[in-house]
């Protein structure tokens, strides 16, 4: 019993030292441009994907890459000049991945309104991990087209991530 009482303070200190305290910081807005395309000028009804490569430079927002513990999407705004508008999609999904991580869905829009600008809020349950070792990551926008299109579907926009950082 005496040994247990002697070990309790040491275990308490170890628990405090091993726990990191994170502060939430915003990473963004980050601008991007990409297009839904299928290798030629035509898109066919069914699954379609647009991919943008995004540099990961948290130093530009006041904190170091090594301090990043986890991230999640705050929101993403997507715009198009395509006359068809986003109404040609029955749903949209936002994923991120990198060379060091697998793909993770961070935002979903099940009912896509017609129009040329949409905003998708991030999923609270989707936390991006292991990005403190990457210099870039991939933003994937996926959706199901309800019709064939004669042209690529250009999109642009911006997004903001909420970062857990060990820095104040």
């Amino acid at each position: 019993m005496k040994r247990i009482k002697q070990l309790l303070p040491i275990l308490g200190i170890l628990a405090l030292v091993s726990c990191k305290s994170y502060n939430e910081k915003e990473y963004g807005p980050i601008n991007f441009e990409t297009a839904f395309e299928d290798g030629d000028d035509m898109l066919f009804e069914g699954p379609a994907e647009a991919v943008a490569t995004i540099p990961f430079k948290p130093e530009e927002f006041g904190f170091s890459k090594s301090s990043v513990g986890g991230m999640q999407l705050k929101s993403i705004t997507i715009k198009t000049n395509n006359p068809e508008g986003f109404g040609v999609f029955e749903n949209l999904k936002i994923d991120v991945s990198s060379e060091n991580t697998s793909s993770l869905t961070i935002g979903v829009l099940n009912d896509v309104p017609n129009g040329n600008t949409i905003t998708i809020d991030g999923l609270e349950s989707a936390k991006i991990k292991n990005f403190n070792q990457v210099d870039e990551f991939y933003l994937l926008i996926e959706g199901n087209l309800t019709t064939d299109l004669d042209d690529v579907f250009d999109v642009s926009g911006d997004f903001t991530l909420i970062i857990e950082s060990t820095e104040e």
Side-chain angles (χ1 to χ4, degrees), residues 36-72:
F36 289 90
E37 51 191 339
D38 198 18
D40 55 22
D41 288 342
M42 189 164 186
L43 285 166
F44 298 100
E45 179 181 347
E49 179 180 87
V51 180
T53 302
I54 308 296
F56 185 51
K57 299 180 179 180
E59 298 82 12
E60 294 178 359
F61 293 93
F63 52 99
S64 67
K65 192 181 298 184
S66 63
S67 76
V68 174
M71 303 181 289
Q72 71 185 89

Side-chain angles (χ1 to χ4, degrees), residues 4-19:
I4 293 174
K5 286 183 180 180
Q6 290 173 338
L7 289 176
L8 283 177
I10 294 170
L11 292 174
I13 292 170
L14 286 174
L16 286 175
V17 170
S18 65
C19 293

Side-chain angles (χ1 to χ4, degrees), residues 97-110:
S97 68
S98 76
E99 297 295 329
N100 299 348
T101 62
S102 57
S103 183
L104 174 68
T105 300
I106 59 172
V108 175
L109 187 60
N110 289 320

Side-chain angles (χ1 to χ4, degrees), residues 32-145:
F32 66 92
E33 291 183 10
T34 187
F36 289 90
E37 51 191 339
D38 198 18
D40 55 22
D41 288 342
M42 189 164 186
L43 285 166
F44 298 100
E45 179 181 347
E49 179 180 87
V51 180
T53 302
I54 308 296
F56 185 51
K57 299 180 179 180
E59 298 82 12
E60 294 178 359
F61 293 93
F63 52 99
S64 67
K65 192 181 298 184
S66 63
S67 76
V68 174
M71 303 181 289
Q72 71 185 89
L73 178 66
K74 180 177 180 180
S75 66
I76 184 170
T77 299
I78 307 169
K79 302 170 189 160
T80 186
N81 291 326
N82 191 301
E84 298 288 334
F86 286 106
V88 297
F89 291 94
E90 67 180 353
N91 57 37
L92 289 171
K93 180 173 81 161
I94 310 300
D95 290 358
V96 292
S97 68
S98 76
E99 297 295 329
N100 299 348
T101 62
S102 57
S103 183
L104 174 68
T105 300
I106 59 172
V108 175
L109 187 60
N110 289 320
D111 296 316
V112 181
N114 200 9
N116 288 18
T117 302
I118 58 172
T119 298
I120 301 172
D121 291 328
L123 298 172
E124 286 186 31
S125 61
K127 188 173 285 189
I128 307 163
K129 297 180 181 177
N130 300 323
F131 268 54
N132 56 0
Q133 300 295 319
V134 302
D135 294 323
E136 65 184 17
F137 62 93
Y138 308 106
L139 178 71
L140 293 82
I141 306 169
E142 300 172 272
N144 284 320
L145 283 170

Side-chain angles (χ1 to χ4, degrees), residues 22-38:
Y22 290 107
N23 299 301
E24 287 190 353
K25 297 184 178 281
E26 285 194 5
Y27 180 73
I30 303 297
N31 298 315
F32 66 92
E33 291 183 10
T34 187
F36 289 90
E37 51 191 339
D38 198 18

